[in-house]
Amino acid sequence: MSRAQKLLVGFLFFTSGFAGLVYQNLWVRLLGLTVGSNSLALSIVLAFFFLGLALGSYLAARFASRITNPLRVYGWIELAVGAYAIVLAEVLFSLPRFAALLASIPVVGPGLPYLLTAMLILPPPLAMGATLPILLRIFARDDARIGRDLCSLYAANTFGAAAGALACGFILVPRFGVSGANFIAATMNFIVGIASLGILRRWGGAWSFPPSYDEPFRFSLRQGAPLGRFERATVLVLGLVGFAGIALEVVWSKYLGIFFGTNIYGLSLTLAIVLLGIALGALLVTPLIDRLKKSELFFVGLIVATALLLFQSTFLLARVPEASDWLWFVLGNRLPLLWVKAFVVGLLLLPSIVLLGAILPTGIRILSQKARHTPETTGASYAINTLGASLGALWAGTRLIPHSGP
């Protein structure tokens, strides 16, 4: 596969990530009208969003090796997500009225709005979760470049997500409203889908691949070889990293929403900083990931360093208002205070998040030794990571924040 072809697929995946985070932002805003709490709405949306990603990634892990034309499947997924998102926005606008009716049902009523929300929100992220393993059928063709190809694709999508989070809060919603922003994101999905199918019509043969193998997927390092003790620990760590990372994101969003002084920009800035750090982590580890002589030692060191920095960052977050005011004064009030606040928060949180972003691709590289098995291994690993993220979002929003005081 040529470099130009990889850049083209990477750009399509960047655009897909952009649209995905616009949706996530909008769903939080719309669901906040139903549950009456932005932090609870965020945790619910993130929990169901990541649960959908986990299910989609798991299904892709089972069937990715049998897909002979991954770009065609990806194109139809994007078209389906765009079409569903247009309908979903209209339904979510009407959800508060139906939620009030459902909540009045004795005994089971209070839980029905959340069940309905899950049923409505799950389909798009389920489809999105399948796209990374499917596109790796195109990217991962060389055993010596598994890590670099994975990191490039993962970073492209996450950079797009960071851009989408910022654009949604600062440009799309203020200028076009929620409905307009949703339509723009859906249009981007349509463009990606049509472009993917159009590429196939022109250069179809170059994007078709024979099935890798016909056996059902089994989570193993090599053909027939089960995971060793360290590899099983790696799988567990990927789930725990997802849990802790998203739980912290929910907590940070709660605090930083107050700190930034506006719910309109606070959520977008927090999501953008987190996603930017994850994308930078995947990008920075790219040159190293296939050359590591002691990848297990590197992985353990990465986890320890990430844990220490996350603890330090969270502890120092209480000092951010003081530091922002001091910097704004030093700059002579020449910059908007919101920009200064975002800079200080980014300076504090980014180092730990960059390391956090390097953990998932490094763990997948340890588990993936053959390029032809990479889509399956990535799908299973990503499913475990995002399942942990789903549980972390739910725990933080329903247990940690309500019981931690004002």
Side-chain angles (χ1 to χ4, degrees):
M1 186 179 185
S2 70
R3 180 177 176 83
Q5 289 173 326
K6 287 188 175 182
L7 287 173
L8 179 57
V9 174
F11 177 73
L12 294 176
F13 209 34
F14 173 94
T15 307
S16 176
F18 184 103
L21 257 291
V22 172
Y23 294 139
Q24 189 183 107
N25 252 293
L26 297 179
W27 296 343
V28 171
R29 295 169 191 270
L30 292 173
L31 191 58
L33 301 176
T34 302
V35 301
S37 166
N38 280 328
S39 59
L40 181 58
L42 176 63
S43 67
I44 292 172
V45 169
L46 287 179
F48 292 144
F49 192 90
F50 282 106
L51 179 60
L53 292 180
L55 292 172
S57 190
Y58 173 75
L59 291 173
R62 293 187 62 84
F63 300 108
S65 64
R66 304 175 193 180
I67 296 174
T68 58
N69 204 316
L71 198 60
R72 175 178 289 123
V73 175
Y74 174 66
W76 282 112
I77 286 175
E78 291 297 312
L79 292 174
V81 169
Y84 187 90
I86 290 177
V87 177
L88 178 61
E90 297 304 316
V91 174
L92 290 179
F93 270 120
S94 304
L95 189 59
R97 182 176 52 193
F98 290 109
L101 293 174
L102 291 173
S104 65
I105 299 175
V107 183
V108 297
L112 289 180
Y114 301 103
L115 179 61
L116 178 60
T117 300
M119 294 172 61
L120 291 172
I121 289 179
L122 270 179
L126 191 150
M128 296 174 196
T131 55
L132 177 61
I134 287 172
L135 288 181
L136 278 171
R137 284 279 285 138
I138 298 174
F139 262 59
R141 314 300 300 171
D142 184 352
D143 291 350
R145 291 184 51 91
I146 292 173
R148 277 172 284 179
D149 291 334
L150 167 65
C151 286
S152 300
L153 199 56
Y154 181 61
N157 186 253
T158 313
F159 274 123
L166 273 181
C168 184
F170 287 85
I171 301 173
L172 298 182
V173 171
R175 292 192 179 184
F176 306 104
V178 171
S179 295
N182 187 75
F183 182 79
I184 290 171
T187 301
M188 296 178 79
N189 284 129
F190 291 144
I191 291 172
V192 171
I194 293 170
S196 301
L197 298 176
I199 290 169
L200 286 175
R201 286 180 62 88
R202 184 169 184 122
W203 300 292
W207 303 87
S208 299
F209 309 95
S212 296
Y213 58 96
D214 296 326
E215 301 173 8
F217 169 71
R218 291 193 302 172
F219 211 155
S220 59
L221 277 173
R222 301 169 184 85
Q223 280 183 296
L227 295 178
R229 183 178 300 174
F230 185 84
E231 287 74 28
R232 288 197 298 270
T234 298
V235 172
L236 177 62
V237 165
L238 293 182
L240 293 174
V241 164
F243 181 95
I246 298 304
L248 282 172
E249 181 180 329
V250 172
V251 173
W252 291 341
S253 297
K254 172 70 173 178
Y255 175 77
L256 293 176
I258 299 171
F259 169 64
F260 286 127
T262 168
N263 287 325
I264 298 175
Y265 301 134
L267 175 62
S268 294
L269 281 171
T270 304
L271 290 176
I273 290 169
V274 171
L275 290 164
L276 177 62
I278 291 173
L280 286 172
L283 187 66
L284 293 174
V285 81
T286 301
L288 306 173
I289 197 166
D290 291 314
R291 302 178 184 178
L292 294 171
K293 300 297 183 183
K294 298 181 178 179
S295 56
E296 292 85 357
L297 183 62
F298 178 81
F299 187 66
V300 171
L302 196 59
I303 293 167
V304 172
T306 302
L308 292 174
L309 277 178
L310 283 173
F311 178 80
Q312 181 187 46
S313 299
T314 304
F315 178 76
L316 292 176
L317 207 56
R319 298 288 186 182
V320 164
E322 181 182 340
S324 300
D325 290 341
W326 174 82
L327 182 59
W328 194 46
F329 175 77
V330 168
L331 294 173
N333 304 345
R334 287 190 292 270
L335 293 175
L337 181 57
L338 186 64
W339 292 13
V340 176
K341 289 181 176 181
F343 174 78
V344 173
V345 170
L347 201 63
L348 175 64
L349 297 183
L350 273 178
S352 58
I353 301 173
V354 166
L355 293 183
L356 186 71
I359 290 177
L360 178 61
T362 304
I364 294 175
R365 184 63 181 94
I366 290 172
L367 297 170
S368 184
Q369 302 294 320
K370 296 291 183 181
R372 67 187 185 125
H373 294 164
T374 298
E376 292 82 3
T377 304
T378 300
S381 302
Y382 191 57
I384 291 166
N385 178 258
T386 48
L387 179 60
S390 175
L391 296 174
L394 199 60
W395 176 74
T398 60
R399 304 298 298 174
L400 181 59
I401 291 178
H403 293 85
S404 60

